[in-house]
Amino acid sequence: MNTQQRGKILFNVSLFFISLVLYYISTNFKYTKIPGRLGPDLWPKLILIIIIIFTAYDIVLGIINLKKKTIGKNISASNENHQEKRREGKNNHKFLILGLLATFVYILLLPIIGFIISTVIYLAGMMKIGNYKRRDVIICSSLIGTFCLIVVFLKIAYLSLPAGIGFFGNFTYLIYSLLGIR
Amino acid sequence: MDTLMNIILSLGNGLIEILNPITIALIIIGLLIGLLTSALPGLTLIIGVVLALPFTYSMNPTNAIVLLTAIYLAGTYGGAFPAILYKIPGDPIHVPLLWDGYPMTCQGRGAEALGWTLYANLFGGIFAAILMVLVSEPLAKIALSFSSPEYFAIVFFGLSSVLVLGTTSFRDAVVSMCIGLFIATVGVDAMFGINRFTFDTKFLLAGVDWLIVLVGIYAVAEIFSRLETGFQSSGLKTKDKAKIETALPKLKDCQKKTPTFLRGSFLGTIIGFIPGAGATVAAFISYGLEKQYGGKEKSKLGKGAPEGLISSQSAATASVGGALIPMLTLGIPGSGATAIILGAFMLHGIQPGPGIFHTNGNMIYAIYASVFVGILLTSILGLLAVKPIVKILKAPETIISAFIMVLCIIGAFALRNNIYDVWLLFLFGIIGFFLHKFQYPLSPLLLGTILGQIAERNFLTTMISYKNDWTIFFLRPISGALIIISIISIVVALTLPLWQKRKTGKITPSQ
């Protein structure tokens, strides 16, 4: 519970400071001011002020509540339970971080190595990260799935997908020609 | 009378337009996608509509909207199967269904429960569709006389209702909505032509497409959340051996429950009409009202009463027709799914609003006709496809999630053939993940993003036209009424919990 509360306070602090910076940016919009007429900075400023007020209020309340709970809690009784939860939390964060990293790398490589290769690797990687055990299913579903996506999006929906550059681009177009896609 | 005849004639023409193999096939595909995404735990009907969106880019506008509407329609029903048979709501909409549906399954009446749900879906859907057809064109005619104060008031009403309805914390909802409103300010300002928050990048000049925001905060964030839990959502266990079939109740029994059917359907249509409320709110409120004012049977609710199923399911399905009314006539989406459908209209160069019956009347009536056909087909599919759908529910969550992520990325890329859109999607996925983790409601953010530009444009236009006289919002009858209702609902939403807590003597600083 405390971790969740601390996280929320941290999130609110980030929102608070980001809003402050954005508010400062909105004070520097360059436009010709007409006397008696509202400008393009009014609307964003109003929104940012509301965010600043509400997040500041939430930060203060969050700190007050956190202090109250820290004083009141019985450390020894919940120690064991906490350790177990922490261990579980670590595992969960591992999945999340790996998933985020895989998605980040996938988006990064998508325009370079193209949709086909990057998607096969990404799908297999995500299934592995998600702790799916059957290797044959992972390989088959990522290969067949990618080809199904290519056929559906390029041949039926007429959308373009990143082909990649250099050698990877040539490889993509080779596959396209084998599939009868022009 | 003439108006009614014209509406019926136009609907007939619309029906003729959609009665071709391609459109009917698209309706069936849409219904199946809707049933599946709604039934699969972790997926929602919004994700279903989002995933289908890229496929519609190359379709003609009527087929594109028909497909998305079919997904939306079936999405309010598909989650009933796992909710009733396995106590697993596929979509939050179907939580009230398990309160009575699962006890009925435990009593060996699962097939009967599915039958009542099917009837409720059929009745609620047809009821709302009739209202939608009758109300839309006259409302659009009235809306033609609306000016900027009325439009601002409608948007203000929509934004305030999303703050009040279906959110646990008002403060969090306000912050979430303001983030959405802020996102809508990014790009070249339409009124003054200056760059706002573009950070000297060309890419942000066109602003942030709210479809990217929607897919990011709902679908991508959902997969990140699932990764964090290690894909441990409760799936169907093989030991569950509930009898999987639908038994239709006798019409004589249905007649006895007509008031429940009517209450749920009417309430669902009204709640669907309110921007931001949606099917989930409709299902919960309808169930709550049935429990309070449901006549003799109200005490049986929660123990396996068909009234519980009828009230929530008819309201959920009826909310579809209700939500389509403001989207088509005012250009204001009533729910997340209608927001995507609105986006699909815009992608095809059509702007929904009061003038749509003049510019694209035939198309609108074709969509209306597809809603009627869709409801009938959903009921047939509901009767026949229970077993296959329940089988698909056993597919590994990890594989499904990996494919959903790729589909989201393709959708974002295909929007403008720009990889930066995919990066934005990733960013909004992370933002959505944290908002979800810290229990911020997501619908205010989405509605803020969608309605932000409309709100700002109409607010500033009013201020310029009426020389900064803000009282004009209160002096014009429609805008005044809407703004006063919005203010009252916000005040009530803020003070009611405080008053209730004070009454029980449990007030804390956080409240």
Side-chain angles (χ1 to χ4, degrees):
Chain A
M1 188 65 194
N2 271 357
T3 322
Q4 174 84 359
Q5 277 183 322
R6 279 198 196 106
K8 189 161 183 178
I9 294 170
L10 204 69
F11 185 74
N12 275 320
V13 169
S14 318
L15 263 179
F16 178 82
F17 282 109
I18 292 169
S19 303
L20 275 181
V21 172
L22 292 170
Y23 185 88
Y24 173 74
I25 293 170
S26 67
T27 56
N28 293 316
F29 287 155
K30 286 170 191 155
Y31 68 100
T32 320
K33 284 180 185 166
I34 302 166
R37 198 161 155 180
L38 303 172
D41 55 338
L42 174 91
W43 190 256
K45 274 181 182 169
L46 269 175
I47 297 163
L48 292 166
I49 287 170
I50 297 171
I51 299 179
I52 290 166
I53 293 170
F54 274 73
T55 47
Y57 183 73
D58 262 351
I59 293 164
V60 174
L61 269 186
I63 292 168
I64 292 169
N65 282 341
L66 199 68
K67 274 187 180 174
K68 274 185 183 171
K69 279 182 185 164
T70 312
I71 295 161
K73 79 174 179 184
N74 187 341
I75 300 162
S76 59
S78 61
N79 202 14
E80 212 173 293
N81 197 13
H82 256 266
Q83 276 182 343
E84 201 175 300
K85 272 187 182 173
R86 219 177 259 179
R87 228 175 293 135
E88 197 183 308
K90 253 186 188 174
N91 282 337
N92 295 344
H93 286 138
K94 195 183 95 183
F95 281 134
L96 176 67
I97 291 164
L98 283 173
L100 281 169
L101 212 67
T103 311
F104 180 85
V105 174
Y106 175 54
I107 302 170
L108 200 71
L109 293 180
L110 202 56
I112 302 164
I113 65 171
F115 180 79
I116 300 175
I117 301 172
S118 59
T119 304
V120 172
I121 298 168
Y122 177 71
L123 282 172
M126 281 295 273
M127 289 174 208
K128 195 78 194 151
I129 290 166
N131 218 9
Y132 192 69
K133 297 276 191 305
R134 293 182 59 184
R135 202 172 285 176
D136 51 338
V137 177
I138 291 178
I139 294 166
C140 287
S141 57
S142 51
L143 276 171
I144 297 167
T146 305
F147 282 95
C148 286
L149 288 171
I150 292 166
V151 171
V152 168
F153 281 101
L154 293 170
K155 281 199 99 169
I156 300 170
Y158 297 112
L159 296 177
S160 70
L161 297 169
I165 49 174
F167 162 77
F168 299 108
N170 295 336
F171 174 77
T172 302
Y173 291 119
L174 177 73
I175 300 286
Y176 284 178
S177 62
L178 288 174
L179 290 169
I181 300 164
R182 290 183 182 188
Chain B
M1 199 63 192
D2 277 354
T3 315
L4 185 66
M5 280 311 292
N6 284 338
I7 289 172
I8 293 168
L9 269 174
S10 306
L11 192 64
N13 289 335
L15 189 64
I16 292 164
E17 198 179 326
I18 62 153
L19 285 180
N20 65 75
I22 293 173
T23 313
I24 293 294
L26 283 173
I27 294 175
I28 294 170
I29 291 168
L31 295 175
L32 286 172
I33 295 172
L35 288 173
L36 269 175
T37 49
S38 167
L40 282 164
L43 294 186
T44 59
L45 77 92
I46 293 181
I47 295 178
V49 184
V50 163
L51 294 180
L53 187 68
F55 294 97
T56 66
Y57 295 165
S58 59
M59 289 180 192
N60 74 49
T62 309
N63 282 348
I65 308 300
V66 161
L67 174 76
L68 299 178
T69 311
I71 298 172
Y72 181 23
L73 201 61
T76 59
Y77 173 55
F81 308 135
I84 290 170
L85 297 173
Y86 300 100
K87 209 184 174 181
I88 301 164
D91 197 299
I93 301 165
H94 301 106
V95 172
L97 282 181
L98 62 85
W99 295 333
D100 282 284
Y102 192 66
M104 283 177 86
T105 303
C106 293
Q107 293 158 19
R109 294 161 60 207
E112 185 199 332
L114 288 175
W116 281 115
T117 316
L118 190 146
Y119 274 159
N121 171 65
L122 187 66
F123 190 92
I126 297 283
F127 181 92
I130 292 170
L131 267 183
M132 173 183 75
V133 172
L134 293 177
V135 167
S136 294
E137 201 168 346
L139 182 67
K141 278 179 187 160
I142 297 168
L144 278 171
S145 63
F146 285 1
S147 190
S148 56
E150 281 79 20
Y151 271 103
F152 176 76
I154 292 165
V155 172
F156 186 73
F157 177 68
L159 292 173
S160 65
S161 55
V162 82
L163 293 179
V164 174
L165 293 168
T167 51
T168 45
S169 162
F170 183 80
R171 282 200 312 276
D172 290 349
V174 171
V175 172
S176 177
M177 191 188 73
C178 285
I179 296 172
L181 287 171
F182 174 77
I183 292 166
T185 66
V186 175
V188 178
D189 169 51
M191 290 195 71
F192 298 86
I194 69 142
N195 298 352
R196 295 191 301 192
F197 310 109
T198 53
F199 307 102
D200 295 327
T201 56
K202 278 184 186 172
F203 168 65
L204 285 173
L205 288 177
V208 179
D209 198 307
W210 51 259
L211 284 170
I212 302 276
V213 180
L214 190 145
V215 181
I217 63 165
Y218 276 100
V220 176
E222 174 64 36
I223 292 164
F224 290 155
S225 298
R226 285 202 211 178
L227 273 166
E228 201 195 22
T229 56
F231 294 101
Q232 284 165 357
S233 79
S234 47
L236 299 187
K237 308 284 184 292
T238 43
K239 63 179 178 184
D240 293 328
K241 280 182 182 169
K243 203 177 180 185
I244 301 161
E245 62 178 16
T246 305
L248 295 177
K250 287 175 185 160
L251 284 174
K252 215 164 82 182
D253 295 330
C254 288
Q255 277 175 346
K256 287 179 194 164
K257 301 189 194 308
T258 310
T260 312
F261 277 109
L262 281 171
R263 270 195 297 270
S265 306
F266 184 72
L267 202 70
T269 314
I270 299 294
I271 294 172
F273 185 84
I274 300 169
T280 308
V281 177
F284 275 88
I285 291 182
S286 181
Y287 187 91
L289 283 179
E290 194 62 29
K291 206 169 167 72
Q292 274 186 306
Y293 309 106
K296 288 177 199 168
E297 305 295 321
K298 67 179 182 187
S299 58
K300 290 180 187 168
L301 255 73
K303 296 167 192 162
E307 283 78 4
L309 301 169
I310 298 165
S311 59
S312 58
Q313 184 58 60
S314 57
T317 312
S319 71
V320 176
L324 286 172
I325 300 170
M327 193 272 283
L328 291 169
T329 58
L330 304 170
I332 293 169
S335 63
T338 44
I340 308 162
I341 297 172
L342 180 78
F345 267 109
M346 289 170 166
L347 285 169
H348 286 92
I350 299 164
Q351 175 65 57
I356 199 160
F357 284 93
H358 289 287
T359 53
N360 296 84
N362 292 343
M363 181 194 169
I364 298 303
Y365 279 102
I367 294 163
Y368 285 168
S370 82
V371 172
F372 282 96
V373 173
I375 292 159
L376 294 174
L377 288 176
T378 313
S379 304
I380 296 167
L381 286 174
L383 199 63
L384 303 174
V386 185
K387 275 186 188 173
I389 286 172
V390 169
K391 267 190 184 169
I392 293 170
L393 297 186
K394 291 174 183 170
E397 203 184 343
T398 319
I399 297 178
I400 293 170
S401 297
F403 277 99
I404 289 171
M405 188 65 109
V406 172
L407 283 170
C408 292
I409 289 170
I410 294 173
F413 178 80
L415 211 58
R416 290 188 282 195
N417 273 347
N418 198 327
I419 197 74
Y420 290 110
D421 277 328
V422 183
W423 283 114
L424 272 181
L425 177 84
F426 184 60
L427 176 73
F428 283 111
I430 294 171
I431 293 171
F433 166 77
F434 281 113
L435 289 171
H436 181 73
K437 191 177 170 68
F438 301 126
Q439 289 160 358
Y440 283 89
L442 296 177
S443 45
L445 188 150
L446 179 63
L447 215 67
T449 314
I450 297 165
L451 300 180
Q453 282 186 358
I454 307 172
E456 183 185 6
R457 191 176 59 239
N458 287 296
F459 177 75
L460 288 177
T461 309
T462 309
M463 288 289 107
I464 292 166
S465 307
Y466 295 92
K467 293 175 183 166
N468 295 345
D469 179 15
W470 57 270
T471 56
I472 194 69
F473 291 114
F474 294 90
L475 296 175
R476 292 171 73 102
I478 294 172
S479 67
L482 284 170
I483 288 193
I484 288 167
I485 292 169
S486 309
I487 292 170
I488 291 171
S489 63
I490 289 173
V491 171
V492 169
L494 276 172
T495 52
L496 200 67
L498 280 174
W499 182 75
Q500 281 172 339
K501 291 280 173 187
R502 194 159 289 176
K503 215 175 159 188
T504 51
K506 283 180 184 173
I507 193 147
T508 65
S510 63
Q511 276 121 27

